[in-house]
Amino acid sequence: MADVRVYSNASALARAAAGFFAEEAALAVASRGRFCVALAGGSTPVAAYEAVASKHFAWRIDWSRVHIFWGDERCVPPDHPDSNYAMAKRTLLSGADIPEPNIHPMRTDLPPEDAAEDYAAELKRVMCETGDCIPRFDLVLLGMGADGHTASLFPGDDLSGHEGRIVVATRGERGGHRRLTLTLSVINNAACVAFLVSGVEKEPALTQVLRGAPPKPPAGLVSPKDGRLVFFLDSAAAGF
Ligand code: 6PG
């Protein structure tokens, strides 16, 4: 059952999501000695990341125990304006004292398919005690497009081809960059998944995700097997 939290506007959503990030980090560090989080891309998380790195929240987090990953990435250089790494660096990483080895960007300098394999190996290196496992994030942050895509899993993608994979290269949005993305296997293996969704244009897809009948868009297929699912919404996206 999803935990749906609605806020009056995007700023209140961002502050609440930042507080949640800090709480989850403290919980993970206290119980497992570290906090492995996959960041969402796009524009909605910007204010939340800035809040996490602000004096209100940053002091609550033992950054030396935090490992930063990405849920998806555009196949562009790390300094490209469309790069999710660049967005996170500008909003969160530059304000947090995270050891460089704990920041795990996707290798967009490699061909997409090679980059996907490389990232899968990195996830296993850091998160699997034995050589092989489905990595279990403490927290996966996700956004959602107006079409119900999440991470870089888009409606119409052949998700059956992701069986047994933890990271794949996808076509991305029509006319856009090719993408790299965690698969649903990894996302649904997380201890906690939190969506950040804001804006009236998201309301129809969100209704389908939360209350619609199948077939659901990729965001509607996120259902942690043994974890929590939380939606941080503003009232516009929630249809209030
Ligand atoms: C990306 C994101 C993507 C994003 C949605 C919503 O790389 O673009 O991972 O899934 O979360 O497209 O984007 P906005 O927050 O900009 O609406």
Side-chain angles (χ1 to χ4, degrees), residues 39-45 71-74 82 84 142-146 149-154 173 179 196 198 201-202:
L39 299 181
S43 57
T44 304
D72 74 321
E73 185 56 280
R74 294 84 181 274
D82 292 345
N84 288 337
L142 294 174
M144 189 195 73
H149 81 257
T150 191
S152 285
L153 302 168
F154 289 83
E173 287 173 307
R179 305 281 195 101
L196 280 59
S198 163
E201 72 282 5
K202 309 288 179 77

Side-chain angles (χ1 to χ4, degrees), residues 107-125:
R107 288 275 315 271
T108 57
D109 57 310
L110 298 174
E113 283 68 22
D114 296 346
E117 287 309 309
D118 175 81
Y119 208 59
E122 176 71 353
L123 286 173
K124 291 183 179 181
R125 182 185 69 81

Side-chain angles (χ1 to χ4, degrees), residues 77-91:
D79 58 357
H80 190 283
D82 292 345
S83 162
N84 288 337
Y85 167 81
M87 182 272 278
K89 185 175 179 186
R90 184 176 71 249
T91 58

Side-chain angles (χ1 to χ4, degrees), residues 182-198:
L182 298 184
T183 62
L184 286 169
S185 303
V186 180
I187 293 169
N188 286 334
N189 197 44
C192 183
V193 178
F195 277 93
L196 280 59
V197 185
S198 163

